[in-house]
Structures are given as C-alpha cells and as structure tokens.
Amino acid sequence: MMLVTDACVASALLRLLLLGTQIRCAHSFASTAGEARTDGHAQLAEVDRSHLPQHVKDSFDKYGHAYYCKVCAVGFSKEKNYRQHTAGKRHQQIEAEQTTAWQDFVADCPTWVEKEETNKGGVDVITQWRNSELASFPHDHSCIQTSLTVLDLSPMQRARFWRYLRDSFGKHFAELPQIFHHISLHSPQYLRVKEIFETCEAFKLIGDMIAKDIDDIDSIYDLACGHGLLGILLAYRFPRKRVICVDLVERQSHHVFRSAFVEVGESCGSKRPLSNLKEYRVADLVSVEAEVTRSSFLIALHACNEANKNVADMARGVGAGWAVMPCCIRSGLYLNGGAVLDHSSEDRYKLLCGAFAEANDAKVVRKISRRITARPILISGWSKASEKPSGKEGENDTLPRRLLRRGAMPPLIG
C-alpha cells in the first residue's frame, strides 16, 4: 500500500511540475511577444514572419532563434543575450544611423519606390545587408541572371540592392546609390544587376590591394575592360592616379557610366570627378606593354585564355602589381600541356586557376560570391623586387588585415 501511495505522489508531483513548466513557458511567450510588438526588435519564431527578409526566416529555421534584432540582423536564443545586445553601444549606433534609412532610400532612389509604399510598407531598408541575400535575386542555374536589370527587380529586391550599396561602401561613397539611380533613369538597359554586383565586389578587393602600395603606384590599367565600370570606380576612389581603360571594342555603356559619375559624383578638391580617367583606348591589351612601368597596376576582369597570361607577364616583366579574374583558361597553357578530363566545369576552373596562380607566382588568391558568377576567383601578385623590405620576418607574406577586412570601404586615398 505504501508503494502505491509513493507512486501516486510521484505521479502527481510530475504532473504539477509539467503544468508549472507550461505555465512559465506560456507566460514567457506572452510577455516577450508583447515586448516584440512594443520595441519592434524582438521577433519570436511563432510570430508572423511574412514581413521579414528570407535570410532572416532561414536563420529562424536553421538556428531556432527566439529573439531577433532586425536592426543588426542577428538572432538570439535567450532573452538575456538579446537584452544585452540591444543595450550595447554598437546596436544603439546602428539604430541611430538607421532611423532615417527610409528617408535616405527615397531621397537617393525615388523612382525605385512604388507609389503605394511608405516607411511602414512591405520593403525592408533597415536590416543590414548579408551576402546570403544574393540567393533571393532571380537566378539562371546557380548565378544571378545575366540580363536582369535593376528595374526588373521587385520593390523589395530594389530596396535590398540599395541597402547593399549603402552597407558595402559606407559614408565615403554615400552618393553611389544616387549615381546608379541616375543611370536607371536615363539608360536602364546598362544597369545589369549581375555586372554591378560582380564589378563592385571585385572593386572592393582590388581597391584594397592598390591602397596597400598607394605611394608606389601612379597608373592603373583596366584591360579587356568591357563596360569599364571597374576602371571608373578605381578612378573615382583614387582621384590622383592616372587610369586607362583598354578594350578591342568601345562600349556605349562606358560612356553612360562615366557621364553619371561626372554629373552626380562628388569632386575631390578642385578636381572634377574622373578627370584622372584619361581615355578609353580601342586596342589590344598588349599594346600597353611599352608604357607599363614598375609604378603601374594592371587589371583584367573576366578576360579569356591568353589575355590573363599576357597581363601577368607584362606586370611581372617590370615588377608591377597585377590582378586578374579569369573567365576561362586553356589547360594547354599550363600543366605541361596536359588535358583536364572527367571534371565538372567548376572543378576544372578551380584547378586551372590554381595552376595559373602557381605559374605566375601569385601572392593573393581571393574570391567573390559564387552566387554572383560562376567565375569568381581573383588572383593577384607583384614582383618580389618591388616588395618593400621589412624588419620583421613574414610581415609581407600577406596583406594587412585592415586591408582584407569585409564591410565598408576605407576613406578615399591618393
């Protein structure tokens, strides 16, 4: 009889314990849900998430976040951690900067906003940009559609594209969204989303490489330049450096981009924007070899086959810096002429980029997002003779961390 009594007591205690847990959970959900409606930052997984960006929803599903700070785009499983975050200086700084995000978006790109939209509409200009958002843009196979223009995007995607420009280039290039908006008004067919992402991401990496040796570089060559937007961005960032764009065919898109930067861009002192962009030369890229010096920096973005080798050879011949993002590489140029068989196109590309980097004594190999392009690898180098002597062993093995960091661009230099 005693055993039965103990079992009954234990069962009753267990039921009470479970009931108390449910009550506490229900109370926690009700109170935090109320807080979420009050402060606008915390979002519980059970709350309607239809207004949130897809990458935020994916974060909930993957990590089970119970709290989410939309301002900083970060999730938490515990209320304590969420409260500590929102009380921090970094959160408050970002929140203060983003209180005017909607007004900035409308001022920068008024025609990218639908008439019925308001600052409480269905677009998100507040959440910080994350590269995972690239997946939300229309794709062909595994990359952003080649022909997709900014005006083809949905209102939400245009808002997020604006946020990408704002977060990627920081206060030093705050006018960049206005420049691209100007292009969308006058020549929207040239504002292709894939090319803009591709060029801007390459510009961030290459710009930092040039900034490393800014005092030793006096000229920049954008070879096989196509639309020439990379050369334009570099000329805009480094207004005291001479920039030359070279391609076999002169593109109207180059003149459209250049005009927009001149009309909407900001001057550097007494210099008008792009006054240092000397010319768009219609010629074979090897035609510049005679004028390339140790103080030059040579670039080729998505050049083909021998063109990448020519760029590296010209630069290495005089001890200049160089950077290429190969589009395609013939296996016969490397691997002692051997063929690469039974590999996917992507594996073949990676293997041959590695062979190219080894053959040309590359110092840095980086990449942009694979969601932007199937050819995302950037290879760069400089002559050993041109490296500055260092008092510390290994100091020149890699670029300084401050130049490799992700995020907003550093100030205008040189």
Side-chain angles (χ1 to χ4, degrees):
M1 184 68 180
M2 186 62 181
L3 291 175
V4 173
T5 302
D6 289 344
C8 292
V9 171
S11 178
L13 289 173
L14 180 60
R15 284 196 293 272
L16 287 172
L17 179 61
L18 290 174
L19 180 60
T21 301
Q22 292 171 353
I23 292 173
R24 286 193 299 274
C25 289
H27 173 72
S28 176
F29 173 82
S31 60
T32 52
E35 292 165 354
R37 288 190 294 269
T38 300
D39 62 25
H41 299 313
Q43 299 290 340
L44 291 176
E46 290 81 357
V47 174
D48 175 30
R49 298 178 289 175
S50 59
H51 65 290
L52 295 175
Q54 186 59 47
H55 70 284
V56 174
K57 299 176 187 176
D58 294 342
S59 178
F60 278 127
D61 296 336
K62 183 175 181 180
Y63 301 107
H65 291 148
Y67 302 86
Y68 189 82
C69 175
K70 191 176 181 182
V71 171
C72 302
V74 61
F76 304 90
S77 59
K78 296 182 179 180
E79 180 183 1
K80 175 184 176 182
N81 295 337
Y82 168 77
R83 294 297 178 192
Q84 289 175 343
H85 166 78
T86 55
K89 291 183 179 179
R90 177 60 178 163
H91 166 84
Q92 293 173 5
Q93 178 185 359
I94 294 174
E95 187 175 39
E97 292 173 352
Q98 295 181 349
T99 52
T100 60
W102 177 261
Q103 290 79 4
D104 293 343
F105 175 48
V106 174
D108 288 345
C109 311
T111 65
W112 292 5
V113 183
E114 297 293 323
K115 292 181 179 179
E116 65 274 12
E117 290 174 3
T118 68
N119 59 339
K120 295 182 180 180
V123 301
D124 176 17
V125 295
I126 295 177
T127 307
Q128 285 190 302
W129 170 264
R130 291 289 185 269
N131 275 343
S132 59
E133 293 183 66
L134 290 167
S136 67
F137 287 78
H139 278 56
D140 282 332
H141 304 295
S142 59
C143 301
I144 294 176
Q145 289 179 5
T146 304
S147 60
L148 184 74
T149 69
V150 170
L151 296 189
D152 294 328
L153 299 175
S154 69
M156 173 65 88
Q157 290 165 344
R158 286 198 296 270
R160 298 311 297 159
F161 179 69
W162 172 83
R163 189 73 217 192
Y164 162 79
L165 295 173
R166 179 185 175 101
D167 290 343
S168 294
F169 298 99
K171 63 181 180 180
H172 302 292
F173 294 89
E175 66 277 13
L176 202 58
Q178 299 173 32
I179 293 172
F180 285 128
H181 177 260
H182 179 84
I183 297 169
S184 73
L185 289 177
H186 300 282
S187 300
Q189 70 273 25
Y190 296 126
L191 205 60
R192 290 185 282 268
V193 177
K194 179 180 181 293
E195 290 180 353
I196 301 301
F197 275 129
E198 188 175 78
T199 307
C200 287
E201 289 297 291
F203 163 61
K204 288 190 285 186
L205 297 177
I206 294 171
D208 283 353
M209 293 174 190
I210 294 173
K212 171 183 176 288
D213 291 318
I214 191 66
D215 295 332
D216 298 330
I217 296 172
D218 59 21
S219 58
I220 301 168
Y221 290 83
D222 183 9
L223 304 173
C225 66
H227 48 62
L229 179 57
L230 178 58
I232 289 172
L233 287 167
L234 290 169
Y236 193 69
R237 180 179 175 186
F238 303 108
R240 295 184 178 88
K241 305 303 175 184
R242 177 170 169 262
V243 178
I244 301 96
C245 294
V246 181
D247 204 301
L248 292 172
V249 179
E250 189 170 10
R251 312 291 178 91
Q252 179 61 28
S253 54
H254 173 80
H255 298 288
V256 169
F257 289 138
R258 180 170 183 162
S259 296
F261 274 81
V262 171
E263 292 180 30
V264 185
E266 295 184 359
S267 299
C268 178
S270 60
K271 291 179 175 289
R272 291 188 63 199
L274 303 187
S275 60
N276 58 324
L277 182 57
K278 296 305 180 182
E279 60 179 310
Y280 187 110
R281 188 180 303 173
V282 180
D284 192 294
L285 62 85
V286 297
S287 66
V288 307
E289 184 171 10
E291 62 193 77
V292 172
T293 70
R294 182 173 174 174
S295 298
S296 304
F297 195 96
L298 277 59
I299 304 161
L301 190 63
H302 284 171
C304 293
N305 299 317
E306 290 86 347
N308 300 291
K309 183 177 185 300
N310 291 336
V311 170
D313 286 346
M314 287 191 294
R316 295 178 67 210
V318 295
W322 57 274
V324 300
M325 184 179 285
C327 175
C328 45
I329 305 175
R330 289 193 184 125
S331 58
L333 294 174
Y334 306 99
L335 304 178
N336 295 320
V340 180
L341 306 175
D342 304 323
H343 286 275
S344 67
S345 175
E346 187 167 353
D347 288 345
R348 182 181 183 278
Y349 172 73
K350 292 177 181 177
L351 188 152
L352 290 174
C353 279
F356 177 90
E358 171 63 23
N360 292 283
D361 194 27
K363 299 296 189 296
V364 174
V365 178
R366 302 289 303 274
K367 74 179 184 68
I368 64 175
S369 173
R370 175 62 176 78
R371 294 189 182 279
I372 298 174
T373 174
R375 301 291 184 258
I377 297 177
L378 180 71
I379 307 166
S380 67
W382 48 89
S383 171
K384 289 184 178 180
S386 68
E387 290 180 355
K388 297 178 181 178
S390 170
K392 297 181 181 180
E393 182 179 358
E395 186 173 286
N396 287 321
D397 290 346
T398 59
L399 293 176
R401 286 186 180 181
R402 68 180 180 86
L403 296 178
L404 296 179
R405 73 186 188 280
R406 302 180 186 277
M409 296 290 293
L412 292 168
I413 301 175

